[in-house]
Amino acid sequence: MSVAPMVDVTDRHFRYFNRLLTKNSYLYTEMISTGAIIHGDRHRILDFSPQEKPLVLQIGAAKPEEMVEAVKIAEDWDYDEINLNVGCPSNKVQEGDLGACLMAKPELVRDILTEARGITSKPVTVKHRIGIDDLDKYEDMENFCSIVEASGVTRYIVHARIAILKGLSPKDNRNIPPLRYEDVYRLKEEYPHFQIEINGGFKDRESILAQKEILDGVMLGRAAYERPYLLNEVENVLYPEDTASITRQEILEHLIGYIQENFDEDNKAWPLYRNIYDLFAFHKGAKVWKRILNEGLKEDKPGDALKKALDQLPLESLLSSSLLPLSS
Ligand SMILES: Cc1cc2nc3c(=O)[nH]c(=O)nc-3n(C[C@H](O)[C@H](O)[C@H](O)COP(=O)(O)O)c2cc1C
């Protein structure tokens, strides 16, 4: 299992929170362009805490030489893997010739990945779509992979939807094109030597675990923030020997210390607090939890909002009510 790269979501605070829930999953950075790595504030963009590992740096690249420079720089940070984004359809990303539009240029993707592999001994992987625009058939994806394979990359994370580059927003491109898991399964059948991780639409324990029989992994995107505790529920099944189980109470107690160490006022700790709003998602107490957390956020001292929320009621009372159906 892994948690998907998500811009404006998978920052270091989110990843720290994820790591409490899942010890073994690979976590990803947001997509970072080669330009940002080369010209930006590197410490702000690339720093992470050791607890976040194993951690994958996702890069958006349009040219092999820029990828080389970015990967060289990132070597000093010791990420566990480097991943190339060939799935993002946003206009801004397209303007930079990055992301999903690269599905139409498999030779360029091959060259970017080949060069990256020459710079680092870390695994280099690719996250792509099953197609774009009129390159939307299984055979088009198969052609893409057969060319990219010459780079030596063997791990493919496949978002099982095409992207429509003109006319759909990134949000619509995550919802409107139908999921075609069967294309991903067929790719694994025809390329059994590939390690294939499937992505798109996984929201419950059963459907995630079912992929174990067919593929090499599952990547969760929105479910990781819409129902974060799912990560721990899956982790417990995948690694029962690891005593990975952690209660919501323990998570929150742990985060008080994290907030005190990393923020000097509670109201500045919003980047962390926003991640715990949905810790009770799909339980009847979810609304109560959000309300008491909001009330607590009027406090100033770091961690006090959480302390106050925890003092206010036994958390089991939020859980004891039966689960609502996932569709609600
Ligand atoms: C807010 C948001 C930001 C995203 N940013 C990225 C990104 O930086 N890189 C990327 O490869 N995919 C990005 N994605 C796509 C996800 O990684 C994932 O492929 C997609 O959400 C489908 O998985 P899901 O149905 O489990 O959410 C983003 C998705 C969301 C919701």
Side-chain angles (χ1 to χ4, degrees):
M1 180 168 63
S2 64
V3 180
M6 289 182 280
V7 164
D8 293 336
V9 177
T10 52
D11 60 16
R12 49 191 299 185
H13 306 301
F14 184 74
R15 299 188 308 245
Y16 186 86
F17 171 56
N18 287 167
R19 188 54 79 211
L20 297 176
L21 292 154
T22 166
K23 280 200 224 165
N24 295 286
S25 297
Y26 272 68
L27 304 180
Y28 282 69
T29 64
E30 306 166 76
M31 183 193 87
I32 307 176
S33 68
T34 51
I37 297 173
I38 297 166
H39 306 294
D41 173 352
R42 292 178 191 164
H43 283 287
R44 191 183 58 75
I45 294 170
L46 294 172
D47 283 359
F48 60 86
S49 36
Q51 295 95 322
E52 294 168 40
K53 282 168 134 305
L55 181 63
V56 183
L57 171 64
Q58 191 192 54
I59 299 183
K63 293 191 179 137
E65 59 277 18
E66 291 167 357
M67 184 70 166
V68 164
E69 208 175 333
V71 173
K72 247 189 221 161
I73 292 167
E75 281 289 90
D76 287 345
W77 271 259
D78 198 28
Y79 282 91
D80 295 280
E81 292 187 0
I82 304 293
N83 175 265
L84 178 69
N85 180 324
V86 186
C88 181
S90 82
N91 286 341
K92 196 169 157 216
V93 161
Q94 281 186 62
E95 280 161 21
D97 290 327
L98 316 172
C101 61
L102 291 176
M103 293 249 11
K105 299 177 186 168
E107 289 82 6
L108 178 59
V109 172
R110 176 197 61 205
D111 295 347
I112 292 173
L113 293 168
T114 305
E115 293 292 329
R117 290 189 71 239
I119 294 296
T120 179
S121 57
K122 306 282 167 57
V124 176
T125 67
V126 57
K127 177 171 181 277
H128 63 89
R129 297 267 183 158
I130 55 170
I132 49 164
D133 297 337
D134 51 359
L135 293 171
D136 61 347
K137 296 185 192 51
Y138 171 80
E139 288 71 21
D140 297 313
M141 172 174 66
E142 197 274 329
N143 177 56
F144 173 85
C145 291
S146 69
I147 294 171
V148 168
E149 184 182 13
S151 66
V153 163
T154 53
R155 288 251 319 274
Y156 296 75
I157 298 115
V158 191
H159 183 175
R161 286 189 175 90
I162 66 159
I164 296 172
L165 298 182
K166 294 271 169 297
L168 282 192
S169 68
K171 188 169 177 213
D172 286 346
N173 262 313
R174 292 192 287 268
N175 292 315
I176 293 178
L179 286 162
R180 294 195 339 228
Y181 293 157
E182 60 282 7
D183 285 30
V184 186
Y185 301 151
R186 184 170 164 196
L187 188 66
K188 178 68 186 176
E189 262 171 42
E190 294 181 8
Y191 288 74
H193 52 291
F194 278 14
Q195 278 191 297
I196 297 185
E197 203 171 315
I198 192 166
N199 166 242
F202 290 95
K203 289 181 191 303
D204 65 81
R205 198 171 60 171
E206 286 63 38
S207 63
I208 295 165
L209 293 171
Q211 306 307 310
K212 208 160 97 95
E213 311 306 320
I214 314 167
L215 296 167
D216 303 292
V218 179
M219 174 180 268
L220 304 191
R222 287 160 289 185
Y225 61 81
E226 286 171 359
R227 54 196 83 190
Y229 202 67
L230 177 65
L231 293 177
N232 194 248
E233 290 169 351
V234 177
E235 176 92 359
N236 287 336
V237 180
L238 291 176
Y239 305 97
E241 71 291 348
D242 236 10
T243 57
S245 179
I246 184 165
T247 65
R248 289 169 173 84
Q249 175 95 26
E250 287 164 339
I251 291 167
L252 295 169
E253 283 167 358
H254 196 98
L255 288 176
I256 292 174
Y258 180 79
I259 292 168
Q260 288 169 337
E261 271 169 38
N262 290 279
F263 299 94
D264 49 17
E265 280 176 47
D266 243 356
N267 56 18
K268 292 194 184 141
W270 175 247
L272 188 279
Y273 277 110
R274 67 178 183 160
N275 300 320
I276 54 183
Y277 262 71
D278 283 311
L279 197 53
F280 294 88
F282 299 93
H283 289 273
K284 282 193 179 142
K287 270 195 188 148
V288 179
W289 169 246
K290 286 182 189 175
R291 183 171 52 71
I292 55 172
L293 199 54
N294 273 337
E295 280 165 14
L297 277 173
K298 292 174 195 144
E299 303 295 321
D300 284 342
K301 271 177 55 199
D304 273 9
L306 252 188
K307 273 195 217 155
K308 198 169 169 198
L310 285 174
D311 284 350
Q312 220 169 324
L313 81 171
L315 295 184
E316 303 85 73
S317 67
L318 300 175
L319 293 171
S320 56
S321 28
S322 61
L323 269 178
L324 295 171
L326 283 178
S327 55
S328 61

